[in-house]
Amino acid sequence: MSMSSQASKKSKPAKQRPGNGETRLSEAPKPRPALLLDEHIVEIVSDSGEGAQRCGQSFGAIAARLGNGIWTVEIIPAEIRPPPRSIAGASGNRVRLASYRVTNGGDEADVVVAFNEQVLLSRVRTGEIKPGGIILLENMWQNDRDETIAAGYMKVCEEIRAAGYRLYEIPMEAECMKYVPDPRRGKNMFALGMLCGIYSLDAEIARAQVRFVFAKKDQKIIDANIELLDAGRAWALENLDLKFAVPASKTSEPQVVMNGNAALALGVVASGMEVCAMYPITPATSASHYLSEIFEKVGCVVHQAEDEISACAFAIGASYAGKCAVTITSGPGLSLKQEAIGLAVMGEIPLVVVNVQRGGPSTGQPTKAEQGDLLAACFGGHGDAPKVVLAVSSIEDCFYSIITARKIAETFNMVVIVLSDASLATAQQPFPRPSFNEGWLAPPIDQSAVPENALPYDWDSRTGIAPRFIPGQPGGMHCLTGLAHDRLSHVAYGPEINEEGIRQRSHKLATFQKTLKTPKVFGDKDGDLLLVGWGSTCGAIEEAVETLRARGHRVSSIHLKFLQPMASGIGDILQRFDKVMTIENNWCDSLDEDLINEENRRYSNLALLLRARYLVDVDCWGEVRGQPLKPGAIVKAALPKLEKV
Amino acid sequence: MTATMTQCLLRLVEEDYKLSDYQSEIAPRWCAGCGDIGILTAIQRLCRDEQIMPEKTVFVSGIGCSSRLPHYMNAYGFHGLHGRALPVAEGVKLRRPDLDVFVTTGDGDCCSIGAAHWLHAIRYNMNMTVLLHDNQVYGLTKMQASPTSPRDLKTNTTPYGAYLNPLNPLTVTLGVTNVSFVAQAVDWIPDLLYDIIAQAHRHRGLSFVRVLQRCPEFMNHRFDEAVHDPSKTRILTHSDGLRLKPEISRIYRNQETHDPLDMPRALAIAALSDEIPVGVLYRDPSVPCYEELREAERPNTPDLIRTVLDEEFDKVTIWPQVEDASTGVE
């Protein structure tokens, strides 16, 4: 058993001096009192298929079960099986655990567990690890038969130490060999055990989580994994001088832990919708996977269509026949569905479209986070096609927004586009366990005869809303058409009637807008700078605002749930700040570049919408690095705006 | 018993739909002599003869001349997107098996822009009647070559003649897994057109009927040879198949007794190049329907939704801890 660290390269167990202003560790061998922390960020990375993701997710779930606030972020390579030991192949999970509720993945990691030095490099080189951070690295490579691998390993270790990281080389493989013949399967549970030991997480809760994760496997496999878990814990306690505790906050109500896509799927069930038509696309598909598992239990159907267009048309058909449907997709799928969405707008058919955004354009970055589809959602199709666009900002919001979306769709006979993104899709966070309410469901479809002389598009002159006739209703027979039509649903190309139809469909959006509440300002109601965001960035933006306010800056933020239409009162809020800047995970040109000036600058999605609507000189800051925005990066982006005040 | 009798009589009176009950107030806007008119008439006759309830019937179409048909029916209609009639119809049918679904589509709509949906619709085999109005040319957009246009046809997009051999919708459909009903009709023999659509409608599963129809505007003489020479038409019969009136039998003597479960023969008939087969090429009522395969075991009641949600939440719930375990010592 060999193990070394920055401080002591040969001894076992290592006695590590605390660094980075942490309080002192006891010299007693064990049990050591744990160093109490408010929060920590832990990453675990491996080659794809070595189970680092499962390890990280389980670690987060165990901490959450114990009452910690957590947020997990998946680290996903683009390929199914990238080459082993490659920088591009790093796969794993980041877990931020805290004594309080956390709303985002945070800044740099405090601790990293890496199964080889190459995947570690991918995290180090992208600046994901805190300076002086703790690195727990599998050391089997130092004795690799391939000399280039062994040499490469040694070189990276030197580089890591030279850069000031606290490196612990750990014989994970050798330790696992004591329990299983093939440590490639199971090393992740050993690592999980180590982390549970380091962070003083309850052993029995950890075992319960492992049993839960492997619930579908046979007892032998469960037992082997628990053995590895316990071995990892014991090894860490015996050999490492790292002992932390992140005290949990006591919660009085039950919490559920899941990722955004699971919350979307449960939201679909809770909304009472009966049909989900979809086509596989990353990163949306896992929502449909989960839904496929549970939807039939409530007597409903996930239909995997032959393509995205068909999925949308199928959902429209089901909705038209009275069974409000949802189609779940991601960027390229949204592009393909646009014509069908236009038909639903024209025919006034309720429809929920979920777009779990990814990096674009084209195939872009399928597994990576980006918020580039806002304008496509609002204006993507041809012609004037008013529809509701809303964005989810937390895991909990993923659940409830689907229920809201269905309600809006059926109340206004409109298309509702729900925007999530790759960072929410895979991030896990606890939220209060929802309690089912029958009010979430819609009443059974109306099959009674329509009143005599009733018209299929009898638009109300004040609201634009027309009652809908559903097939099966005697007397309601009409031909719905995507062509311009009159109140009888007859094809009509007359100048007045075309304008009339467009006006009524537009007015429905205005009517809906009257029901929206002004978003709350996070921070003071006025000040020097207002940050405006939408979607998954809410937690990071608010954390940045808190940091800046703690430093004495007069900064606030608002987060928009409804992007189309926007609630009343937003313009007033913008006016109360000297400067306004959107924070978005999408592209905007920077005026710092020589080429760019006010004449040619392209703005971020939301900034463009705000500038157009409120005539306020809204600035914007964004990143398209395929990752969730970090609070620290937002602080950095905001500071220059404050210094110039 | 008197009361029951009265009710029955009332029902009979109520349900006595006349041909005009299936005609919408909109007069067809097709060209004089268009084959679509014959198809519309056959459908309306069928609705009357089968006493189909207009409110329980949905005609779904795409875009093109043929796809205007739903506007001329007094029933629910859905005149949607070019090429997408089939997925819309599938969505309608999935959770509403009580609705009688017809799809009217054209050679451009079905075999070109909607070709992917065509193949998959055959494979889903949902219970609906699909009528492919095949006039072998784009009419609504003013004469462009369609996938079924004959080779060398001069159109606005092929002024020097069409380059490719036409796609054969019959052989394509017969080649798809789960195909359960394929027939061909021609607009110039209205009795058989009606009979074939009626057989299609009676079939449980997706019944695909290709109707060869004349486009008086752009393909006026396309089928002249067959129209004038009955021997060019091969009538397919079987014991419970077409009911040929004596006058039809006298004119169309080129007849073949064809077992509609005989796929190799169906494919051979479908591929005939010098004759037009008319009748049922293939029929297999044993192929399962997608909507039946996906039928729910239980209805989605609020109680069931509550139960399933609670089951799922239970798997991921953290119940409040009495003690703070995370700081516990080993």
Side-chain angles (χ1 to χ4, degrees):
Chain A
M1 184 191 307
S2 87
M3 98 140 257
S4 58
S5 75
Q6 182 192 358
S8 57
K9 282 185 186 169
K10 46 193 182 311
S11 66
K12 48 148 191 170
K15 296 286 188 296
Q16 181 72 43
R17 247 180 288 114
N20 303 336
E22 288 162 359
T23 48
R24 192 172 41 81
L25 287 163
S26 162
E27 290 299 307
K30 64 181 165 138
R32 289 180 285 268
L35 174 62
L36 295 184
L37 302 165
D38 284 341
E39 67 159 271
H40 240 199
I41 298 172
V42 182
E43 284 194 354
I44 167 145
V45 282
S46 69
D47 285 345
S48 187
E50 285 186 317
Q53 283 183 5
R54 176 169 276 176
C55 173
Q57 279 162 1
S58 301
F59 180 60
I62 294 163
R65 278 181 182 227
L66 290 161
N68 283 122
I70 63 147
W71 186 278
T72 70
V73 181
E74 281 191 9
I75 300 159
I76 315 170
E79 293 91 14
I80 300 280
R81 278 285 172 200
R85 295 176 40 78
S86 65
I87 289 178
S91 165
N93 219 295
R94 155 180 286 217
V95 184
R96 185 182 184 190
L97 68 163
S99 293
Y100 34 79
R101 183 171 179 268
V102 282
T103 58
N104 66 84
D107 294 311
E108 294 89 11
D110 299 278
V111 172
V112 181
V113 181
F115 286 13
N116 69 60
E117 81 288 349
Q118 296 301 315
V119 293
L120 172 65
L121 273 186
S122 84
R123 305 308 289 166
V124 171
R125 289 192 180 159
T126 47
E128 295 289 349
I129 319 296
K130 199 171 274 180
I134 296 164
I135 291 168
L136 307 173
L137 178 62
E138 164 69 73
N139 74 358
M140 62 184 278
W141 310 106
Q142 65 186 4
N143 301 319
D144 201 279
R145 272 177 297 180
D146 184 335
E147 280 173 21
T148 50
I149 288 179
Y153 173 84
M154 300 306 282
K155 187 167 164 285
V156 170
C157 285
E158 276 168 37
E159 187 184 322
I160 295 286
R161 283 201 190 89
Y165 296 102
R166 290 167 62 187
L167 176 66
Y168 293 75
E169 296 175 74
I170 298 181
M172 290 186 232
E173 178 98 355
E175 285 299 313
C176 290
M177 293 281 268
K178 296 176 183 170
Y179 307 95
V180 286
D182 176 14
R184 239 186 97 79
R185 301 213 168 277
K187 195 191 281 185
N188 60 339
M189 289 296 117
F190 183 86
L192 177 62
M194 288 200 315
L195 288 172
C196 290
I198 292 169
Y199 285 93
S200 319
L201 300 182
D202 183 79
E204 198 37 58
I205 299 280
R207 288 183 203 114
Q209 176 63 26
V210 171
R211 276 185 215 110
F212 170 72
V213 166
F214 293 100
K216 286 177 186 166
K217 307 276 183 184
D218 66 46
Q219 193 60 39
K220 258 189 190 167
I221 291 176
I222 296 172
D223 292 344
N225 279 293
I226 289 192
E227 196 175 20
L228 285 164
L229 174 84
D230 289 343
R233 165 192 296 276
W235 194 90
L237 293 175
E238 180 78 22
N239 296 287
L240 295 177
D241 57 351
L242 303 167
K243 185 83 173 124
F244 305 128
V246 182
S249 56
K250 288 199 172 68
T251 52
S252 54
E253 51 180 350
Q255 306 270 314
V256 285
V257 190
M258 65 185 76
N259 67 34
N261 275 0
L264 284 175
L266 288 169
V268 171
V269 175
S271 74
M273 283 190 280
E274 293 177 41
V275 176
C276 168
M278 50 72 67
Y279 182 79
I281 187 164
T282 304
T285 315
S286 68
S288 303
H289 290 175
Y290 182 40
L291 194 59
S292 301
E293 222 176 285
I294 58 176
F295 218 23
E296 279 191 22
K297 294 184 193 168
V298 291
C300 301
V301 175
V302 175
H303 170 67
Q304 181 179 325
E306 59 272 17
D307 58 39
E308 293 280 2
I309 296 170
S310 171
C312 196
F314 191 102
I316 287 170
S319 268
Y320 162 77
K323 305 291 185 177
C324 186
V326 58
T327 180
I328 303 179
T329 190
S330 184
L334 180 72
S335 297
L336 286 164
K337 291 177 198 297
Q338 291 283 9
E339 190 196 14
I341 289 171
L343 169 67
V345 171
M346 189 62 142
E348 305 193 39
I349 303 163
L351 178 70
V352 178
V353 179
V354 178
N355 176 15
V356 184
Q357 299 165 94
R358 65 192 222 183
S362 186
T363 311
Q365 299 202 96
T367 60
K368 306 283 186 183
E370 199 173 294
Q371 297 181 304
D373 300 349
L374 175 54
L375 298 177
C378 294
F379 311 117
H382 62 280
D384 187 64
K387 54 190 111 55
V388 174
V389 177
L390 66 90
V392 294
S393 60
S394 68
I395 310 298
E396 183 177 27
D397 206 16
C398 290
F399 177 78
Y400 290 105
S401 289
I402 300 293
I403 301 164
T404 309
R406 192 238 169 129
K407 286 257 181 259
I408 300 166
E410 288 204 310
T411 306
F412 294 87
N413 295 332
M414 286 192 101
V415 176
V416 180
I417 299 186
V418 179
L419 295 173
S420 180
D421 66 33
S423 60
L424 283 176
T426 55
Q428 294 192 94
Q429 182 197 31
F431 64 90
R433 178 175 163 138
S435 178
F436 176 70
N437 177 347
E438 278 193 33
W440 293 347
L441 310 177
I445 59 168
D446 186 2
Q447 290 286 273
S448 62
V450 305
E452 222 166 307
N453 300 323
L455 306 175
Y457 290 98
D458 196 9
W459 296 302
D460 182 291
S461 58
R462 290 161 305 140
T463 63
I465 301 168
R468 189 163 66 105
F469 299 167
I470 294 169
Q473 284 189 274
M477 287 82 75
H478 67 284
C479 183
L480 182 145
T481 178
L483 288 166
H485 50 265
D486 60 16
R487 286 169 189 254
L488 289 158
S489 196
H490 291 174
V491 176
Y493 298 137
E496 284 83 16
I497 193 60
N498 184 55
E499 205 164 68
E500 170 78 353
I502 288 176
R503 177 187 298 113
Q504 301 293 3
R505 290 189 294 274
S506 181
H507 284 185
K508 284 198 296 185
L509 206 62
T511 303
F512 170 64
Q513 192 269 349
K514 299 262 186 201
T515 69
L516 297 178
K517 287 183 195 145
T518 308
K520 283 199 184 103
V521 179
F522 183 81
D524 288 343
K525 284 183 176 153
D526 50 23
D528 296 331
L529 176 64
L530 179 73
L531 302 181
V532 190
W534 62 281
S536 65
T537 53
C538 184
I541 292 173
E542 291 184 357
E543 194 170 315
V545 167
E546 276 178 340
T547 304
L548 288 162
R549 292 177 65 82
R551 294 188 200 168
H553 294 291
R554 300 180 65 231
V555 184
S556 302
S557 67
I558 54 170
H559 211 73
L560 304 188
K561 181 177 182 68
F562 287 95
L563 285 316
Q564 183 170 277
M566 288 190 201
S568 300
I570 293 171
D572 291 342
I573 296 172
L574 303 189
Q575 296 291 349
R576 293 201 294 266
F577 290 83
D578 288 341
K579 292 184 176 177
V580 180
M581 178 163 76
T582 68
I583 302 292
E584 304 179 57
N585 207 347
N586 59 39
W587 177 254
C588 59
D589 290 329
S590 165
L591 288 171
D592 294 340
E593 305 214 31
D594 291 342
L595 180 67
I596 303 303
N597 56 40
E598 283 298 349
E599 305 277 330
N600 64 8
R601 182 183 188 195
R602 293 174 66 245
Y603 283 83
S604 280
N605 287 209
L606 178 59
L608 200 66
L609 294 179
L610 294 178
R611 291 173 70 88
R613 178 164 296 280
Y614 301 109
L615 305 181
V616 169
D617 188 12
V618 178
D619 196 358
C620 50
W621 176 84
E623 271 185 357
V624 284
R625 301 170 62 80
Q627 291 165 353
L629 298 186
K630 291 188 165 69
I634 298 170
V635 167
K636 257 187 224 164
L639 276 172
K641 302 293 286 185
L642 291 160
E643 280 156 9
K644 286 176 201 162
V645 167
Chain B
M1 284 293 113
T2 327
T4 317
M5 278 298 287
T6 315
Q7 279 163 3
C8 288
L9 284 172
L10 274 175
R11 272 175 61 82
L12 277 173
V13 170
E14 272 170 11
E15 290 181 9
D16 185 18
Y17 295 110
K18 297 179 290 294
L19 203 57
S20 59
D21 290 325
Y22 299 98
Q23 294 166 344
S24 78
E25 64 252 51
I26 305 167
R29 305 261 169 89
W30 290 310
C31 308
C34 175
D36 287 329
I37 298 166
I39 299 172
L40 174 68
T41 307
I43 291 170
Q44 286 169 339
R45 270 180 64 198
L46 171 75
C47 288
R48 191 242 355 243
D49 294 351
E50 301 281 334
Q51 288 292 293
I52 291 167
M53 292 161 80
E55 68 268 24
K56 288 284 195 184
T57 310
V58 184
F59 283 83
V60 184
S61 67
I63 294 294
C65 293
S66 60
S67 294
R68 285 302 183 97
L69 189 141
H71 285 281
Y72 311 137
M73 290 296 303
N74 182 39
Y76 281 91
F78 193 109
H79 177 210
L81 297 176
H82 197 22
R84 320 301 170 201
L86 285 164
V88 168
E90 291 153 10
V92 169
K93 188 72 184 177
L94 181 76
R95 303 290 286 184
R96 294 295 306 272
D98 58 313
L99 297 175
D100 199 346
V101 176
F102 289 81
V103 174
T104 57
T105 179
D107 40 315
D109 201 52
C110 177
C111 308
S112 193
I113 193 169
H117 311 311
W118 166 31
L119 303 188
H120 290 276
I122 301 299
R123 183 166 160 256
Y124 298 139
N125 191 41
M126 298 181 79
N127 191 9
M128 57 180 72
T129 307
V130 179
L131 304 173
L132 168 63
H133 303 216
D134 189 357
N135 58 9
Q136 308 186 345
V137 71
Y138 284 82
L140 198 64
T141 49
K142 310 278 185 269
M143 200 178 191
Q144 294 83 23
S146 97
T148 59
S149 290
R151 178 104 186 248
D152 297 328
L153 180 73
K154 287 185 176 155
T155 72
N156 286 319
T157 46
T158 54
Y160 308 108
Y163 305 100
L164 301 172
N165 287 327
L167 180 145
N168 183 335
L170 295 177
T171 54
V172 170
T173 307
L174 286 167
V176 178
T177 308
N178 286 347
V179 61
S180 77
F181 186 102
V182 178
Q184 178 158 274
V186 293
D187 79 54
W188 55 92
I189 315 179
D191 276 358
L192 295 186
L193 173 64
Y194 167 87
D195 201 355
I196 290 165
I197 295 175
Q199 297 221 13
H201 182 250
R202 274 198 292 276
H203 171 74
R204 190 197 58 90
L206 188 144
S207 32
F208 179 87
V209 183
R210 180 200 195 193
V211 185
L212 292 174
Q213 61 151 128
R214 292 164 294 179
C215 174
E217 191 70 19
F218 301 120
M219 292 283 274
N220 201 14
H221 302 291
R222 167 68 184 123
F223 298 110
D224 278 3
E225 196 186 357
V227 171
H228 297 129
D229 178 1
S231 73
K232 294 287 180 193
T233 301
R234 179 179 297 223
I235 310 280
L236 306 176
T237 61
H238 60 275
S239 59
D240 61 342
L242 301 182
R243 287 160 299 181
L244 298 180
K245 288 179 186 164
E247 56 268 35
I248 297 280
S249 259
R250 267 201 303 278
I251 300 167
Y252 295 98
R253 296 189 178 180
N254 179 3
Q255 296 182 12
E256 174 178 341
T257 307
H258 167 62
D259 172 7
L261 269 171
D262 183 350
M263 177 61 90
R265 184 60 200 150
L267 279 164
I269 294 168
L272 289 173
S273 57
D274 50 349
E275 292 180 13
I276 294 176
V278 168
V280 179
L281 282 87
Y282 189 72
R283 189 182 68 188
D284 180 1
S286 71
V287 180
C289 295
Y290 183 70
E291 69 271 32
E292 288 165 11
L293 297 173
R294 302 302 309 268
E295 205 176 324
E297 283 174 24
R298 298 172 282 185
N300 66 328
T301 59
D303 281 345
L304 187 58
I305 291 173
R306 181 195 305 278
T307 306
V308 169
L309 280 177
D310 279 341
E311 274 171 23
E312 292 308 307
F313 287 138
D314 282 346
K315 292 178 189 169
V316 291
T317 296
I318 306 151
W319 299 100
Q321 299 275 310
V322 184
E323 281 171 69
D324 189 350
S326 70
T327 53
V329 284
E330 308 303 316

